[in-house]
Amino acid sequence: MSDLNITDQSFEGEVLKNELPVLVDFWAPWCAPCRIVSPIVEELAKEYEGKLKVGKLNVDDNPDTSARYGVMSIPSLIFFKDGKPVKTMVGAQGKENFKRGIEEVLSS
Amino acid sequence: MYDVIIIGSGPAGLTAAIYTTRANLKTLVVAGNKWGGQLMLTTLVENYPGFPEGIQGPDLMMAMKKQAERFGTEFIDSDFASGDFDPPAGGLFKITAGDKTYEGKSVIIATGADTKWLGVPGEQEKIGKGVSSCAPCDAFFFKGKNVIVVGGGDSAMEEAIVLADFASSVTMVHRKDSFRASQIMQDRAKKNPKIKFLLNAEITKILGEEKVIGAEVKNNKTNKVSKMDIDGVFVAIGHVPNTKVFQGIELDEKGYIKVRDHTKTNIDGVFVAGDVHDSHYRQAITAAGYGCAAALEADHWLRGQE
């Protein structure tokens, strides 16, 4: 799903300046656990439409943003609120677990 | 209420689930926050039969999960929290995961084993900041950097080989004077020009505040400690069984679940499969085999209870 793609160039506008909380999935094509997380992230994007912006950032193509937020392990899901990272979830996990993370961020 | 509650979602747990659901037993898998077990942290698995070109570990686990789901296995993503393994005669086992408690007529424990860390100063707080146990996940972030891999087995060799594609140098640090890895893996590592070997050596401290910047390495023959400037420490010194949480289940002297009669624990109706009891073979295929055996025995036991 290309419309979820976030790049180094679009990061500021789409993530940092977004009025909604944003969930960014840091991933890469060579990362097998990322392939498990990716379809879950796409489902979450639909389920939380209007409440949470969800995006995917390819760390191969967008090294600046990954470096800025100290991403050293993927898949990493980082939540942003008001331009700041507020929560990070590292590693392939089940959908329910990600939903718990989302609920926590939305209610905080 | 379930016929079988399986705790764990690696090859042992998922194979058990495929067998119990196909035997028409209502099955719940307590998959954990991070499901799939150790294979989720690997790349190409070349010794799992049926895949002549090999298969990516996470892809294999995804396929096993789908296969278990196809026959009606239910999954919960929470970690096992506690269990009542000592119910009144004929009663149900109670398993708590997340904030819910589930009841089962029988239980299969298949929680496997986790990374054994070094236990040196500076390690725990820098996991994910240069300290890692998963080269396939993290190697990319060490492009052009210098890293250490600790360990002497096949998984240490694999970590080093994966890292050598990205890092400018990989130093394998091992406390003994020879490696126990298989010949084929040792050969692959040794012919890689980026991989260096430091034997009779142990890491005593990992340096750095925000992230790893170095390590203190002791030569255990001379006791001389030297400082190495490195950006990452990958730990592959083995695993510890996930048994701490099971109250009332008998363990052996090494902390693994004590197995009797191939698949049984000290409690009637509680079975065990995979690396949580097997300190010897520790392969995906043996874990899957144990999962099958435990499922067949659980089925047999449940029929005997009727």
Side-chain angles (χ1 to χ4, degrees), chain A residues 33-83:
Chain A
C34 296
R35 286 205 293 276
I36 288 171
V37 169
S38 191
I40 299 176
V41 166
E42 285 163 18
E43 286 168 29
L44 293 171
K46 284 196 196 116
E47 288 171 32
Y48 286 90
E49 204 173 345
K51 288 193 232 166
L52 177 81
K53 151 97 183 161
V54 176
K56 290 160 71 169
L57 186 132
N58 180 326
V59 300
D60 275 355
D61 301 338
N62 303 286
D64 296 350
T65 307
S66 333
R68 191 184 327 154
Y69 293 101
V71 174
M72 290 180 99
S73 178
I74 54 172
S76 269
L77 270 63
I78 305 184
F79 293 85
F80 292 86
K81 231 178 171 176
D82 304 322

Side-chain angles (χ1 to χ4, degrees), chain B residues 3 19 29 51 69 71 112 115 166 170 181 219 230-231 265 280 284:
Chain B
D3 294 311
Y19 272 79
V29 170
F51 301 94
E69 276 168 340
F71 299 111
T115 301
F166 297 92
V170 180
N219 179 314
I230 43 107
D231 308 289
T265 66
H280 189 69

Side-chain angles (χ1 to χ4, degrees), chain B residues 204-218:
Chain B
T204 50
K205 194 176 182 183
I206 297 172
L207 306 169
E209 291 296 322
E210 292 288 292
K211 56 181 186 160
V212 173
I213 56 164
E216 286 181 7
V217 183
K218 183 177 90 170

Side-chain angles (χ1 to χ4, degrees), chain B residues 122-156:
Chain B
E123 179 184 49
Q124 283 300 312
E125 64 270 23
K126 286 194 281 292
I127 292 172
K129 294 170 186 164
V131 177
S132 171
S133 66
C134 183
C137 313
D138 303 344
F140 169 80
F141 300 101
F142 295 87
K143 217 181 248 176
K145 300 195 168 164
N146 302 307
V147 299
I148 281 175
V149 173
V150 190
D154 274 357
S155 51

Side-chain angles (χ1 to χ4, degrees), chain B residues 263-283:
Chain B
T263 63
K264 294 176 181 152
T265 66
N266 58 314
I267 293 171
D268 207 27
V270 179
F271 300 84
V272 61
D275 285 12
V276 72
H277 79 70
D278 167 32
S279 60
H280 189 69
Y281 299 110
R282 299 173 306 172
Q283 302 299 303

